[in-house]
Amino acid sequence: MPSFDGGEDLLDPTVPPALVEARGLTKEYPREGGVTRVVDDVSFAILPGETLGLVGESGSGKSTVARMLLRLVEPTVGEVCFEGEPLPPASSARMRGLRRRMQIVFQDPYAALNPRMRVREILLEPFRIHREPPAEGVQARLHELLHSVGLDESALMRYPHEFSGGQRQRINIARALALRPSFLVLDEPVSALDVSVGAQVINLLRDLQRKLGLTYLFISHSMPVVRYLSTRIAVMRQGRIVEIGDTEQITSAPRHEYTKELLRAVEE
C-alpha cells in the first residue's frame, strides 16, 4: 500500500482523502554539460482544511514545488493530484477551470499588484479572466472581499502605491479569494513585511482558514512562523524533503539533523 513521507497511508479508511497530492515530483533544468536538479523526488499529501508548512533555506526548492503544484511549472518527473485526479495539461480547458479552485499569494506585495490598476480592477481581474461574474453582484462581492481582509470599500478607487505593504498583501489575499478557491499556496507571504505587520497577516490567514474552510501550503524559511500556522511541517533541503510530520513532533522531537539546526537557529 503506498505511503508518503509523512507516514500517512492514503488507503487507510480513517484518513480523509487528500485534497492535494505531490507524487515523486522532480524538476531539472538544462545547463551546460548536463542538468541541474532543483527538486528531487518530493511526495506529500495535504488533507482538506489543514496547513502544510514547507520550510527550508533559500534555494532549497520550495517555490519550485509550489509552482509545480499549481501547474505553473511542469515537473520533469512525477505528478500532482487534486481531489484524487491527476492535473491535466496546463493549456487544457479543464486546467483553466481548476485554477478557480487553486490560487497563490506571492511573496512580494509590491511586485504582485499592477501599479496602473485601481484596486477595483485588480479584484475584478479573476472574474474577467475566468468569465465568471459573481452570483451576488459585482459590487457586493468586492465589498465582501475587502471586508474579509480587514479593508473597506474606500480602497476600491485607490492605486497600490497608496497602501502600506501589509495593506497591499491583504489586497493580494482578497484577489486570491475572489473565485472562492479551496486551496491556497502561500509563498513566503510575510517575509517582505516587518514583524508586527506580518503577524497581523498571519492571524488574518488563520481566521480566513477557519471561516472559509481553506487548505494551505504555507512556504517559509522561518520555523517560528511555520510552527504557528501549520498543522504539519515538511522540512526541505537541497531539493528533497528530509522530514515531515505533525507540527508538535517536528518542533519537539525532530529526527533529522537539518531540522535540529533550524530549531537551534531560532533559539540563538
Side-chain angles (χ1 to χ4, degrees):
M1 290 174 30
S3 63
F4 287 75
D5 291 338
E8 305 93 344
D9 189 333
L10 297 182
L11 298 182
D12 184 341
T14 65
V15 177
L19 181 70
V20 181
E21 300 170 38
R23 298 179 172 178
L25 292 181
T26 297
K27 183 61 181 178
E28 297 176 339
Y29 290 101
R31 61 175 174 82
E32 187 176 353
V35 297
T36 298
R37 181 170 292 186
V38 295
V39 175
D40 187 5
D41 194 24
V42 165
S43 296
F44 56 77
I46 309 177
L47 303 182
E50 78 166 348
T51 298
L52 177 66
L54 187 59
V55 65
E57 60 196 4
S58 297
S60 60
K62 306 185 301 298
S63 292
T64 302
V65 169
R67 283 156 175 74
M68 286 192 285
L69 286 187
L70 299 177
R71 217 44 157 199
L72 301 176
V73 171
E74 291 291 330
T76 306
V77 178
E79 68 177 0
V80 176
C81 293
F82 185 75
E83 295 182 332
E85 296 292 329
L87 290 184
S91 60
S92 68
R94 181 165 166 259
M95 188 65 227
R96 288 195 295 274
L98 283 173
R99 292 198 190 283
R100 298 182 181 94
R101 310 281 311 284
M102 311 165 73
Q103 292 291 316
I104 186 168
V105 176
F106 292 103
Q107 174 180 358
D108 188 344
Y110 300 92
L113 299 176
N114 187 332
R116 297 181 180 86
M117 295 173 68
R118 298 179 190 269
V119 169
R120 177 183 173 83
E121 297 170 293
I122 289 168
L123 296 184
L124 282 174
E125 197 171 23
F127 301 106
R128 289 173 178 152
I129 290 171
H130 291 276
R131 298 172 184 161
E132 186 177 303
E136 65 270 60
V138 168
Q139 203 69 9
R141 181 58 178 154
L142 296 185
H143 289 183
E144 180 185 12
L145 285 169
L146 288 171
H147 291 161
S148 73
V149 298
L151 299 173
D152 62 42
E153 50 268 27
S154 67
L156 286 173
M157 300 310 293
R158 295 161 64 189
Y159 289 95
H161 74 267
E162 300 179 64
F163 297 91
S164 68
Q167 290 171 326
R168 292 187 203 194
Q169 197 62 297
R170 289 171 185 265
I171 295 166
N172 281 318
I173 293 168
R175 178 176 58 185
L177 295 175
L179 298 175
R180 296 187 169 92
S182 53
F183 176 56
L184 285 187
V185 170
L186 307 168
D187 190 0
E188 300 266 14
V190 298
S191 64
L193 307 175
D194 66 41
V195 174
S196 61
V197 173
Q200 293 169 14
V201 172
I202 290 296
N203 285 327
L204 169 66
L205 291 168
R206 288 188 71 176
D207 291 343
L208 288 169
Q209 185 173 42
R210 285 194 293 265
K211 291 175 183 176
L212 303 177
L214 297 167
T215 302
Y216 292 155
L217 174 69
F218 180 72
I219 296 171
S220 180
H221 62 273
S222 170
M223 183 64 86
V225 175
V226 168
R227 177 167 52 195
Y228 180 72
L229 190 63
S230 302
T231 314
R232 292 184 301 125
I233 295 174
V235 181
M236 196 165 182
R237 185 187 190 197
Q238 296 178 347
R240 296 184 64 88
I241 290 181
V242 298
E243 186 167 2
I244 185 168
D246 292 342
T247 297
E248 178 62 26
Q249 178 264 305
I250 292 291
T251 56
S252 63
R255 295 188 296 269
H256 197 277
E257 184 57 36
Y258 179 65
T259 310
K260 296 176 185 178
E261 289 178 13
L262 291 177
L263 292 166
R264 281 196 296 267
V266 172
E267 297 168 358
E268 294 174 354

